[in-house]
Amino acid sequence: MKDGISVKDMTVSFGALGSGVSFTAPRGTVTGIVGENGAGKSTVIRALAGILPYRGEAEINGKSVRSMSKAERQKIGYVGGERSLPESLTLAAFGNVLSRIFGEWDEIGFAHTAEKFRLPLDKPMSEFSTGMKALAALTAALSHGAETLLLDEPTSGLDIGVRGEVLDMIYEHMQNESHTVLMSSHLSGDLERICDRIVLMHEGGVVLEADKDELMTRYAVVHGDGFKPVRVLRRLYGEDLLVLRSSLPEGTECEYPTLDELLLFFIKGEKDEGSVS
């Protein structure tokens, strides 16, 4: 699959990206960025959206983010973690403003999605809850023919039922193989449910990048001696070892790590002398 998003050696003058960030997000996939607060997830997404200046290379559908035309930028849907919405406007008025900005504005689709999310069109957005603002931002992003979605914590502040609806809509958007979704989330369960690919960030850099299914089966968690660990997590009751599953003798008792456990190993775990990568 051709890369929908390609980032190479990206840095910013301020913020969380201390080292060059590189990763790809193929078309026809949902790629999730996971990491602790301050890892650089939002910074990467804002740079790709053209909000933050950056050094290095960043392309969306083969076009440099720096040199995109207006028409090319309108093919990108962005939902920022800051949820910046004109709160004095009703959702209907906000849609009217967007219809004058985007050449492919889908008024019917906008109203249908708002209804699906039970968002009142005639209510000022200043009266919206945090979750309703998140849904309003996503409704707008899905209503102007975007081929690429850049979503920063799109399910933050939503209850579990609405989160499921949001993930279903993102999945539906991806049924078109020319579309690309890049989303960050601190809710690893959401990423495990919907993502095809995972990028794990720590302290402004990428420490892991792989297809989700391959990543979740690459490693195992074991206890005891005699193993070559990738990471060692020291706990009060002893040590947990993260090892390559392929290195284990047949029949070894082990566990598959969750995405949260992988994140913990690579953030808090130690890489001992003699470790493998």
Side-chain angles (χ1 to χ4, degrees):
M1 290 174 287
K2 185 176 180 181
D3 292 336
I5 297 173
S6 176
V7 175
K8 185 176 180 181
D9 298 328
M10 175 187 280
T11 61
V12 297
S13 299
F14 56 92
L17 300 190
S19 58
V21 168
S22 301
F23 68 90
T24 59
R27 290 186 188 182
T29 68
V30 180
T31 297
I33 305 180
V34 64
E36 77 276 30
N37 290 337
K41 306 184 300 294
S42 297
T43 301
V44 169
I45 289 178
R46 294 181 73 196
L48 285 167
I51 297 171
L52 291 179
Y54 64 89
R55 293 181 294 275
E57 301 175 18
E59 295 183 350
I60 297 179
N61 292 332
K63 302 289 185 179
S64 170
V65 171
R66 292 191 186 94
S67 58
M68 280 185 168
S69 66
K70 179 180 178 180
E72 289 167 341
R73 290 188 182 279
Q74 291 199 351
K75 291 293 184 180
I76 300 172
Y78 169 68
V79 175
E82 64 278 4
R83 310 288 190 251
S84 296
L85 298 170
E87 296 192 350
S88 62
L89 297 182
T90 65
L91 188 57
F94 182 43
N96 287 335
V97 171
L98 295 177
S99 70
R100 299 183 180 94
I101 296 173
F102 294 102
E104 296 186 25
W105 182 251
D106 182 1
E107 182 177 356
I108 295 175
F110 179 77
H112 175 74
T113 303
E115 181 180 7
K116 180 179 178 68
F117 287 147
R118 297 170 291 280
L119 296 174
L121 291 170
D122 59 350
K123 187 176 183 179
M125 289 187 289
S126 60
E127 299 179 20
F128 281 16
S129 67
T130 299
M132 291 170 70
K133 290 176 182 177
L135 292 174
L138 182 61
T139 297
L142 291 168
S143 300
H144 59 82
E147 295 178 352
T148 303
L149 294 180
L150 304 174
L151 309 177
D152 189 9
E153 299 281 357
T155 57
S156 178
L158 305 180
D159 64 46
I160 189 169
V162 179
R163 273 169 43 207
E165 290 184 76
V166 168
L167 295 176
D168 287 344
M169 291 198 71
I170 295 171
Y171 179 78
E172 182 179 343
H173 179 80
M174 288 311 307
Q175 298 314 295
N176 186 326
E177 293 187 356
S178 68
H179 290 174
T180 308
V181 174
L182 179 68
M183 64 178 283
S184 70
S185 180
H186 68 281
L187 300 169
S188 61
D190 288 354
L191 296 181
E192 288 187 26
R193 172 177 170 179
I194 196 174
C195 289
D196 305 288
R197 193 167 177 79
I198 296 292
V199 176
L200 196 159
M201 293 188 66
H202 177 51
E203 294 183 344
V206 173
V207 296
L208 277 179
E209 175 190 6
D211 290 346
K212 180 192 68 181
D213 291 342
E214 190 274 331
L215 180 63
M216 302 305 291
T217 57
R218 179 191 299 176
Y219 300 103
V221 179
V222 297
H223 313 281
D225 299 323
F227 302 101
K228 293 182 178 180
V230 176
R231 288 288 192 278
V232 178
L233 193 59
R234 306 188 191 282
R235 301 180 184 271
L236 291 176
Y237 57 78
E239 296 179 345
D240 288 342
L241 307 181
L242 185 71
V243 303
L244 294 175
R245 183 169 289 269
S246 60
S247 70
L248 293 177
E250 186 174 350
T252 302
E253 185 175 342
C254 62
E255 303 168 1
Y256 283 101
T258 65
L259 191 54
D260 273 343
E261 287 171 332
L262 278 177
L263 182 62
L264 187 61
F265 269 108
F266 279 90
I267 292 176
K268 301 294 186 182
E270 302 173 10
K271 187 173 181 179
D272 284 0
E273 184 178 351
S275 295
V276 296
S277 58

